[in-house]
Amino acid sequence: MSEYKFIKWFEELGKKDVALVGGKGANLGELTNAGIPVPPGFCVTAEAYKYFVENVRVEDGRTLQEWILDIITQTNVDDSKQLQENTAKIREKIISMEMPAEIAKEIVDAYKKLSQRFNKDAVYVAVRSSATAEDLPEASFAGQQETYLDVYGEDDVLDKVKRCWASLWTARATFYRAKQGFDHSKVYLSAVVQKMVNSETSGVMFTANPVTNDRSEIMINAAWGLGEAVVSGAVSPDEYIVEKGTWKIKEKYIAKKEIMIVKNPETGKGTVTVKTAEYLGPEYVEKQVLTDEQILEVAKIGARIEEHYGWPQDIEWAYDKDDGKLYIVQSRPITTLKEEVKAEEAEMTEEMKVLLKGLGASPGIGAGKVVVIFDANDIDKVKEGDVLVTTMTNPDMVPAMKRASAIVTDEGGRTCHAAIVSRELGIPAVVGTKEATKVLKDGMLVTVDGTRGVVYEGIVKSLVKSEEEKAEGKVVVAGAPLITATEVKVNVSMPEVAERAAATGADGVGLLRAEHMILGIGAHPIKFIKEGREEELVEKLVEGIRKVVEAFYPRRVWYRTLDAPTNEFRELPGGEDEPEERNPMLGWRGIRRGLDQPELLKAEFKAIKRLVDEGYDNIGVMLPLVSHPEQIRKAKEIAMEVGLIPHKDVEWGVMIETPASALIIEDLIKEGLDFVSFGTNDLTQYTLAIDRDNERVFKLYDEKHPAVLKLIENVIKTCKKYGVETSICGQAGSDPKMVKLLVRMGIDSVSANPDAVELVRKTVAREEQKLMLEAARKRLFE
Ligand code: PEP
Ligand code: MG
């Protein structure tokens, strides 16, 4: 039926057409052909864009495409000012150039035909962008380009199509493509032109009862006018309950609909709230919105959509005044169903189909329903037992992480936020999968193997069962506790797990991270200080740290001062002023920042001082990311200013996290140190020049690289000479192979994650015995 060269009706499109009309266009085609009544429309294909840029010429004779690509080649996308200026120039140019008549004629003709379907000369349409990459049609550019609503008339439509084309060159989209390695010359844009529903009545529908979780029922809400009224909760709508299959209307609740929302009749754009009695007539206030026949029509379409997606849906629908027909405006999976999921979980599979691979960051097996979230505002969607999927977790997501049965992220390495927190909570996690948020969809059932770093489709019976058996079969053998000469300690980030960590029998806390406590307070710490609420911040710290020093008393706890990179701070309320750093790992973090903003360091020291005054004599203070002797000196001065006396009130130490600190260890010791602790996460990253959170280079990340080991050995030797205690608190302290090497080097203590304490203790004990045995044999046989 292709009557056009540059245009395709939704009816002509399907999944296979992503290269031609982008993901959005193809999806609308797919739904139309599946019999789901989406508002009708057409796509101005990627071919049209291509024709436009390849045929239209700029003043000097170059084609528009050549002109654009010349500018882009000369643009450094990391220079944001240049990027903004150059992309603005491109967009202006596209908008100023005339659209070839061949294309314009077709668009005008299709728009007329669309309007005629509604017996009108012109209808309101939405014009949306749907980008596509020639080589990688499945690439997702969702949300990066423009959408225009309430577009009316030929000229307006033509103008908006051109503006969509131009939006292929926003700074954000251009930057994204450059960073993702897309060829700018092969990225095109299709414009989707779709009828805007002129709602007579509208509402939402849940294809499973969201109140009772009953999947045999459909619940429909309906109101007069635009759907916003129902979605936003401005109007209490009618409610109808329909039984699936028998199509019986089980319940009807007719609400009093005093107001309604309609399109602004004066401007044709935007909406206004009006009184139903005045706009439609007084009898409409308490009139049933949908006829019984319409209720069933809506319900049946709902059931069909649920079948199409294989999961209950939350759907927005509307009847269009212009043709009296029912249209589906939006559909998304219901993410709050719980009881029913359990029933489905019972249907386990034996098949082990791998959906994703990544880094096993927290061991164990977790299974459940996928919930994808992109920011902390959505954490309520994650219910007990769900599998939390996100790009990267942040401290605001911790409440949801606690409810999850497993955690899967796109980004990150074994020491990223998601990895640290999930290990501490004992929740299986796979990080650095690169595409979990794309591959995994809301409502899917999956099994996550956090030991091996694999996500399987469905609930894999054998894996889940073996995990259950492991838990049941755990036999605790009572006997003398294993005493090792090398102390085995534990790392703690969240005060609420202190009891659990202490119950491992660890010899102390080798690293109490401040970040999770401070970032979890809910606002940027500087905001507290600026607003004169320093006392509140100090008290919060006192509360958090006290939980840990109390749970472990009299075992020692080393508190490390704040070391959050600027990108993590930025996430917090009040974090807007954080500088944009090109490489936050190399930037303003650790003691460097602490000394630049001594008010923060002071708040931490004040909190420690209060605990010392309460009688806790088991605290140590550890400075992060030290590279210069004077950093130790200055930090001590700040501590003294608030009355905290290093070496007397608290043990005083530094992290060895930079090659510099390892190479000048003697100079650092001369400043006065009770202990040092290897932060191998950072030490490895800085020695090997590998961003520890970058999953692309993670395979080269190795804490046992000879260069890292050499630095460590050198520090241990020097510290022995000066009587300074040595320890490790990086992730490598949980790795038995590394632990063996460290015991041989003579390290004084090893600090592991809670889940690894037992294994590390056994490893240390065996290695120590081996050393003694080797020494004894040497004496015997030499
Ligand atoms: C480290 O760098 O090894 C360390 C323990 O600190 P963090 O992971 O918090 O940077
Ligand atoms: Mg570190």
Side-chain angles (χ1 to χ4, degrees):
M1 110 179 199
S2 228
E3 53 194 308
Y4 301 120
K5 194 165 157 215
F6 298 112
I7 278 170
K8 294 273 182 212
W9 293 101
F10 292 166
E11 288 82 351
E12 299 174 279
L13 295 167
K15 260 200 224 122
K16 59 178 191 319
D17 296 308
V18 176
L20 187 65
V21 292
K24 210 176 282 168
N27 190 37
L28 284 165
E30 190 71 18
L31 294 176
T32 305
N33 286 308
I36 295 166
V38 294
F42 57 88
C43 294
V44 182
T45 67
E47 286 298 322
Y49 173 83
K50 200 169 167 192
Y51 185 89
F52 169 64
V53 291
E54 285 175 2
N55 287 282
V56 167
R57 291 186 183 273
V58 297
E59 301 73 17
D60 63 10
R62 277 180 296 172
T63 65
L64 186 53
Q65 178 78 334
E66 284 162 353
W67 182 87
I68 292 172
L69 294 177
D70 282 348
I71 292 185
I72 285 298
T73 325
Q74 289 157 23
T75 305
N76 170 8
V77 295
D78 289 317
D79 178 344
S80 72
K81 188 162 168 271
Q82 197 189 50
L83 177 70
Q84 297 281 358
E85 282 171 9
N86 287 359
T87 51
K89 210 154 80 180
I90 296 176
R91 293 197 304 276
E92 276 159 30
K93 191 79 172 173
I94 290 180
I95 294 168
S96 73
M97 300 305 273
E98 189 139 351
M99 187 187 287
E102 313 75 298
I103 302 177
K105 230 173 80 202
E106 290 196 356
I107 296 177
V108 168
D109 193 63
Y111 175 67
K112 267 197 195 133
K113 287 211 172 99
L114 181 65
S115 305
Q116 278 159 13
R117 280 206 211 176
F118 295 87
N119 294 321
K120 296 195 170 211
D121 294 333
V123 286
Y124 281 94
V125 290
V127 182
R128 304 173 200 274
S129 304
S130 182
T132 178
E134 191 174 285
D135 300 333
L136 286 162
E138 71 280 7
S140 166
F141 302 105
Q144 292 184 13
Q145 286 84 22
E146 290 298 336
T147 283
Y148 299 94
L149 302 177
D150 295 321
V151 179
Y152 187 83
E154 295 164 10
D155 294 340
D156 202 10
V157 172
L158 290 175
D159 177 59
K160 295 304 179 309
V161 167
K162 230 162 42 173
R163 283 176 191 275
C164 281
W165 287 348
S167 74
L168 191 56
W169 299 101
T170 61
R172 181 170 154 233
T174 310
F175 181 82
Y176 174 84
R177 291 195 301 266
K179 290 292 166 191
Q180 297 293 320
F182 288 105
D183 182 347
H184 287 297
S185 71
K186 291 184 176 151
V187 182
Y188 307 115
L189 192 131
S190 165
V192 179
V193 179
Q194 185 179 27
K195 167 81 166 55
M196 300 254 325
V197 180
N198 185 8
S199 304
E200 170 134 57
T201 57
S202 61
V204 296
M205 132 170 78
F206 297 90
T207 68
N209 189 321
V211 184
T212 61
N213 284 343
D214 189 339
R215 304 251 302 247
S216 69
E217 289 179 351
I218 292 180
M219 187 175 118
I220 300 169
N221 287 156
W224 305 112
L226 293 171
E228 277 168 53
V230 181
V231 176
S232 68
V235 172
S236 51
D238 283 4
E239 188 170 298
Y240 320 117
I241 307 277
V242 180
E243 189 169 61
K244 281 183 200 161
T246 63
W247 305 114
K248 221 174 76 199
I249 302 174
K250 283 168 76 174
E251 273 172 53
K252 274 195 240 174
Y253 162 78
I254 313 302
K256 228 174 165 175
K257 300 159 289 283
E258 304 277 9
I259 53 166
M260 58 188 285
I261 296 180
V262 295
K263 179 172 282 184
N264 186 338
E266 278 157 31
T267 58
K269 309 229 182 243
T271 60
V272 287
T273 304
V274 293
K275 289 210 167 90
T276 310
E278 286 167 17
Y279 194 82
L280 295 175
E283 69 277 22
Y284 282 83
V285 174
E286 290 191 68
K287 188 177 167 187
Q288 182 175 325
V289 173
L290 294 184
T291 64
D292 286 3
E293 207 179 305
Q294 285 176 323
I295 294 174
L296 294 183
E297 184 184 17
V298 172
K300 284 180 185 172
I301 283 290
R304 192 173 331 148
I305 299 173
E306 173 179 311
E307 202 180 287
H308 183 81
Y309 288 112
W311 186 262
Q313 300 286 305
D314 166 355
I315 295 165
E316 285 175 39
W317 57 266
Y319 276 93
D320 195 331
K321 233 186 268 183
D322 296 338
D323 64 356
K325 285 190 188 156
L326 170 65
Y327 289 109
I328 300 303
V329 195
Q330 176 147 183
S331 182
R332 54 186 162 235
I334 306 180
T335 50
T336 52
L337 285 180
K338 191 59 212 164
E339 295 310 313
E340 289 287 322
V341 178
K342 285 238 169 77
E344 216 166 285
E345 276 172 7
E347 288 169 25
M348 293 190 182
T349 163
E350 270 311 335
E351 230 187 297
M352 295 184 66
K353 184 173 168 217
V354 175
L355 292 175
L356 276 174
K357 282 193 180 161
L359 294 166
S362 176
I365 303 288
K369 179 167 67 74
V370 167
V371 176
V372 184
I373 60 174
F374 289 97
D375 71 72
N377 294 331
D378 290 335
I379 58 171
D380 289 345
K381 290 187 189 161
V382 181
K383 305 288 176 215
E384 201 65 40
D386 288 343
V387 173
L388 191 169
V389 177
T390 187
T391 25
M392 175 44 59
T393 59
N394 62 45
D396 290 344
M397 289 187 190
V398 171
M401 296 171 79
K402 286 182 182 158
R403 292 192 290 271
S405 61
I407 293 161
V408 184
T409 67
D410 289 347
E411 298 169 359
R414 283 202 179 90
T415 59
C416 67
H417 180 269
I420 291 169
V421 174
S422 50
R423 275 196 297 268
E424 214 153 276
L425 295 171
I427 295 169
V430 177
V431 301
T433 62
K434 297 193 183 95
E435 49 179 13
T437 55
K438 272 196 222 141
V439 174
L440 304 181
K441 303 270 186 274
D442 278 344
M444 273 166 100
L445 293 174
V446 295
T447 303
V448 179
D449 182 341
T451 313
R452 285 165 206 84
V454 186
V455 180
Y456 299 98
E457 187 178 78
I459 309 292
V460 182
K461 200 163 149 191
S462 52
L463 289 179
V464 174
K465 280 268 175 289
S466 76
E467 189 74 2
E468 280 167 5
E469 281 159 14
K470 245 194 260 164
E472 279 165 17
K474 225 178 196 168
V475 187
V476 182
V477 183
L482 207 45
I483 306 280
T484 54
T486 312
E487 283 187 320
V488 177
K489 303 186 185 179
V490 65
N491 297 339
V492 175
S493 306
M494 289 180 292
E496 51 275 43
V497 303
E499 294 288 338
R500 204 171 82 93
T504 59
D507 295 314
V509 174
L511 166 65
L512 171 57
R513 284 189 169 94
E515 300 71 64
H516 301 253
M517 237 182 286
I518 289 185
L519 298 176
I521 290 174
H524 198 300
I526 284 288
K527 191 170 151 84
F528 279 88
I529 288 167
K530 273 196 194 144
E531 291 173 356
R533 293 157 63 206
E534 189 207 10
E535 176 55 29
E536 219 177 297
L537 176 65
V538 173
E539 242 340 280
K540 289 238 159 81
L541 283 168
V542 170
E543 270 168 39
I545 303 168
R546 189 195 286 118
K547 275 197 190 130
V548 185
V549 292
E550 174 59 34
F552 279 84
Y553 196 80
R555 293 172 274 174
R556 294 180 297 162
V557 175
W558 287 345
Y559 170 86
R560 187 198 44 198
T561 60
L562 187 57
D563 180 14
T566 46
N567 54 329
E568 282 187 20
F569 268 126
R570 199 172 309 116
E571 304 284 325
L572 293 175
E576 307 78 54
D577 294 337
E578 281 295 302
E580 278 281 349
E581 293 185 302
R582 198 166 291 172
N583 195 334
M585 279 296 185
L586 295 175
W588 206 32
R589 53 173 287 211
I591 196 63
R592 315 167 180 182
R593 177 164 190 169
L595 294 176
D596 286 350
Q597 288 185 315
E599 55 278 32
L600 276 186
L601 208 49
K602 265 189 197 156
E604 294 184 86
F605 290 154
K606 275 187 191 165
I608 303 270
K609 172 67 180 161
R610 277 185 206 177
L611 291 164
V612 169
D613 291 344
E614 284 179 20
Y616 292 102
D617 53 7
N618 59 333
I619 310 177
V621 167
M622 182 155 72
L623 308 176
L625 224 73
V626 168
S627 291
H628 305 272
E630 54 271 28
Q631 291 172 326
I632 302 174
R633 204 175 317 145
K634 284 192 183 139
K636 275 192 190 179
E637 281 165 18
I638 292 173
M640 309 267 265
E641 272 174 43
V642 303
L644 181 71
I645 318 288
H647 314 296
K648 174 175 167 279
D649 290 340
V650 287
E651 290 184 301
W652 193 261
V654 295
M655 304 269 294
I656 300 296
E657 295 182 290
T658 62
S661 64
L663 294 167
I664 61 157
I665 183 65
E666 216 153 356
D667 298 332
L668 300 184
I669 291 171
K670 284 181 187 152
E671 292 296 329
L673 292 179
D674 299 313
F675 67 90
V676 303
S677 181
F678 296 105
T680 40
N681 304 338
D682 280 317
L683 186 60
T684 309
Q685 119 167 310
Y686 298 133
T687 306
L688 303 182
I690 290 185
D691 177 346
R692 62 195 250 193
D693 281 347
N694 185 338
E695 58 282 356
R696 284 183 191 79
V697 287
F698 202 82
K699 59 176 186 290
L700 294 172
Y701 186 93
D702 177 15
E703 296 115 326
K704 294 189 286 299
H705 187 289
V708 181
L709 294 179
K710 245 187 209 170
L711 291 171
I712 293 178
E713 193 160 21
N714 170 45
V715 172
I716 294 180
K717 266 195 200 142
T718 313
C719 284
K720 284 241 172 288
K721 193 164 109 191
Y722 288 93
V724 175
E725 195 179 339
T726 53
S727 186
I728 176 171
C729 59
Q731 174 62 16
S734 298
D735 170 7
K737 287 190 196 131
M738 183 74 164
V739 168
K740 281 187 200 169
L741 296 173
L742 293 169
V743 170
R744 282 185 178 265
M745 287 179 197
I747 200 159
D748 296 310
S749 68
V750 173
S751 193
N753 304 317
D755 61 278
V757 169
E758 206 181 311
L759 177 64
V760 168
R761 201 189 340 245
K762 282 186 188 150
T763 309
V764 170
R766 178 161 296 182
E767 207 55 23
E768 288 179 346
Q769 291 183 14
K770 256 199 211 163
L771 274 168
M772 288 190 282
L773 199 57
E774 282 167 16
R777 282 182 181 145
K778 221 169 151 196
R779 278 202 302 275
L780 269 179
F781 299 115
E782 263 171 16

